[in-house]
Amino acid sequence: MKTRKIIFIFLVWGIFLSGCHRGPILMENIPKIPQPEQADYSKPLPPGELALRKITDPAEIPDFTDACHDLANLKNSISNSLNYLKKPSSRRHYPYGKISHQQVVESLEAFRDMINAGYGEAELNSLIRERFDVYTSVGCDDRGTVLFTGYYTPEFEGSRHADERFKYPLYSQPDDLVKDDEGNTLGRRTVDGLVPYPSRGEMENAGMLKGKEIMWLADPFEVYLVQVQGSAKIRQPDGSRVGIAYAASNGHEYRSIGQLMIRDSKIAKERVSLSTIRDYFRSNPEELPHYINQNPRFIFFRMEDGEPRGSINEPVIALRSIATDKSVYPRAALAFLDTVLPKAQGDNVVQALYTGFALDQDTGGAIRAPGRCDVYMGEGETAGRLAGQAYREGRLYYLFLKSEY
């Protein structure tokens, strides 16, 4: 997480998504899976423009009633954002347009107080519409279209020491890697000054990471998946669980191996999933290095106790934390999602409409521009299944307390 993951969904390109909704779901009402060629979700904003636009027509404000029915863990996520906003460094990212740092703080405090007051869902919906200004994302097309995807924290078996089983390493940050105050990689320190950090293939071919091993896993594909997600829980041989967190990247852009496999006709687009990719490389292990090395981006890790954290260095919570491009969206702010998200029903994953509140607490390596939003799905295998099937368009809103309140 922490300026983390190059999201899993672009590793597993074009899968179904579903989610939480009360009442029966009519499948014909579920938005279809978008085709990648139909929209440029990474289209950048024009110079000087913001990703959010204030809604002035009340008819365009979404209905929050269903989202007010289930507010589990929302107060915890609000508290995490407020903890971040107490840090002096958080002020450097505001104002966001006309939105001040203090207004974001007051918005979160007011929303938390409304939850604590115990209002019914219909009354809470009315109060939100009365007390908050609602902003919509301009999306990828200036009409609000946002692609929602998912990410998670995988859990694998591993060891701090290499042996016959655990022989594929995760690495800590090299001493010569230079970052700025925001954690962005600037390059490699040399006697001649900063130079671009080498790509994945260049580093591995040169053996320049030897001695920086921080953890060893049993499967090279699991190593790559941890790099894609940016964090993991590792079960040690003694049964203990150790957290691995994002420390830095080599500064290169992510390239999806899922897309490359589709291009090469290794897997049909309609069949791409984590399980099909994993099964392919189990049957063809000699091909894995070829595809992995076509992704030049490389992630370095550090040991971390406690819960997974986002780029604001606060814990992320399933369905309550989202990752966006922090150069265009306001950090730690209250958001509202209207899309389709995955939901586990026994051994199956179903499709359903989803509305819910979340906090903008994380950043993704492939989450660029206003047309993208990545939803945190939790930890472990089930969360991974859900994250891998998250790929639908929707609308993204932000809520800020009106000045008179």
Side-chain angles (χ1 to χ4, degrees):
M1 290 167 223
K2 200 165 185 187
T3 315
R4 60 153 247 320
K5 69 214 179 335
I6 303 106
I7 65 170
F8 170 72
I9 190 57
F10 278 137
L11 171 70
V12 292
W13 177 251
I15 312 177
F16 292 82
L17 190 210
S18 90
C20 248
H21 185 76
R22 291 190 295 138
I25 301 301
L26 299 178
M27 294 307 293
E28 60 267 26
N29 292 335
I30 303 298
K32 295 180 179 179
I33 302 170
Q35 296 299 311
E37 62 273 13
Q38 291 182 348
D40 180 5
Y41 300 111
S42 296
K43 181 180 179 181
L45 282 171
E49 293 196 14
L50 294 175
L52 298 181
R53 181 180 298 140
K54 185 177 177 179
I55 297 177
T56 56
D57 182 356
E60 295 181 3
I61 296 176
D63 188 336
F64 303 107
T65 305
D66 273 6
C68 294
H69 171 72
D70 180 7
L71 300 175
N73 291 326
L74 182 58
K75 286 196 297 182
N76 292 340
S77 196
I78 290 174
S79 294
N80 292 338
S81 278
L82 287 170
N83 286 340
Y84 165 74
L85 292 166
K86 291 176 183 176
K87 302 170 186 176
S89 61
S90 68
R91 295 182 176 274
R92 74 178 66 170
H93 303 292
Y94 287 93
Y96 175 87
K98 295 183 179 180
I99 305 298
S100 69
H101 182 276
Q102 185 61 27
Q103 187 175 0
V104 177
V105 172
E106 292 175 353
S107 299
L108 298 182
E109 292 175 340
F111 205 90
R112 179 192 59 195
D113 292 344
M114 289 166 56
I115 296 174
N116 287 334
Y119 295 112
E121 46 201 85
E123 189 173 9
L124 189 53
N125 173 59
S126 297
L127 288 171
I128 294 170
R129 299 172 72 89
E130 173 190 338
R131 298 179 183 180
F132 287 79
D133 286 324
V134 181
Y135 287 69
T136 180
S137 167
V138 300
C140 67
D141 53 5
D142 204 40
R143 293 180 294 181
T145 302
V146 173
L147 177 66
F148 288 85
T149 50
Y151 70 105
Y152 79 114
T153 303
E155 181 172 318
F156 299 122
E157 294 185 1
S159 173
R160 298 188 192 213
H161 306 287
D163 59 23
E164 284 302 310
R165 181 185 179 194
F166 300 115
K167 52 187 176 182
Y168 301 102
L170 297 169
Y171 296 98
S172 61
Q173 179 182 323
D175 297 334
D176 59 0
L177 188 147
V178 180
K179 298 185 292 186
D180 63 17
D181 291 342
E182 295 293 318
N184 301 307
T185 297
L186 299 177
R188 183 184 186 190
R189 184 189 300 109
T190 70
V191 293
D192 297 320
L194 283 179
V195 298
Y197 216 84
S199 68
R200 172 189 299 272
E202 291 169 337
M203 285 188 294
E204 294 189 337
N205 290 337
M208 60 183 291
L209 298 179
K210 188 172 180 60
K212 302 301 293 184
E213 298 87 355
I214 191 174
M215 187 68 67
W216 301 82
L217 304 185
D219 185 334
F221 185 75
E222 290 177 354
V223 168
Y224 186 73
L225 187 55
V226 175
Q227 290 214 356
V228 169
Q229 296 302 316
S231 67
K233 295 291 185 180
I234 309 299
R235 295 190 302 275
Q236 302 294 289
D238 63 2
S240 63
R241 294 167 77 243
V242 176
I244 296 292
Y246 175 99
S249 80
N250 62 347
H252 289 255
E253 289 297 317
Y254 172 74
R255 191 178 187 194
S256 164
I257 67 171
Q259 293 181 55
L260 295 173
M261 295 175 73
I262 292 171
R263 180 202 65 186
D264 295 343
S265 301
K266 301 296 184 179
I267 300 177
K269 181 168 63 175
E270 62 272 13
R271 294 190 60 249
V272 175
S273 68
L274 173 60
S275 60
T276 58
I277 292 176
R278 186 192 299 271
D279 290 346
Y280 181 87
F281 286 126
R282 281 177 174 168
S283 299
N284 305 275
E286 72 284 353
E287 294 188 34
L288 181 60
H290 166 72
Y291 281 100
I292 286 179
N293 284 332
Q294 292 188 67
N295 173 21
R297 189 174 176 90
F298 196 90
I299 304 300
F300 305 103
F301 297 92
R302 57 183 171 81
M303 310 294 285
E304 181 177 75
D305 294 331
E307 299 304 309
R309 291 175 177 265
S311 61
I312 65 171
N313 200 28
E314 294 293 332
V316 287
I317 297 175
L319 296 180
R320 297 304 186 193
S321 298
I322 58 174
T324 64
D325 182 347
K326 291 299 177 290
S327 69
V328 300
Y329 283 112
R331 297 168 190 243
L334 178 66
F336 178 77
L337 319 182
D338 185 355
T339 184
V340 177
L341 287 180
K343 179 180 179 180
Q345 287 190 348
D347 294 332
N348 299 317
V349 174
V350 298
Q351 310 296 319
L353 300 174
Y354 177 88
T355 59
F357 298 101
L359 282 297
D360 196 339
Q361 298 172 329
D362 208 353
T363 304
I367 303 298
R368 303 295 190 205
R372 297 295 315 282
C373 180
D374 214 5
V375 183
Y376 182 61
M377 307 306 293
E379 299 182 36
E381 183 178 351
T382 297
R385 291 173 58 215
L386 300 180
Q389 299 192 39
Y391 191 77
R392 291 295 176 97
E393 292 178 349
R395 296 292 298 270
L396 177 62
Y397 303 90
Y398 286 72
L399 282 66
F400 301 101
L401 192 68
K402 294 179 178 179
S403 57
E404 58 265 36
Y405 291 96

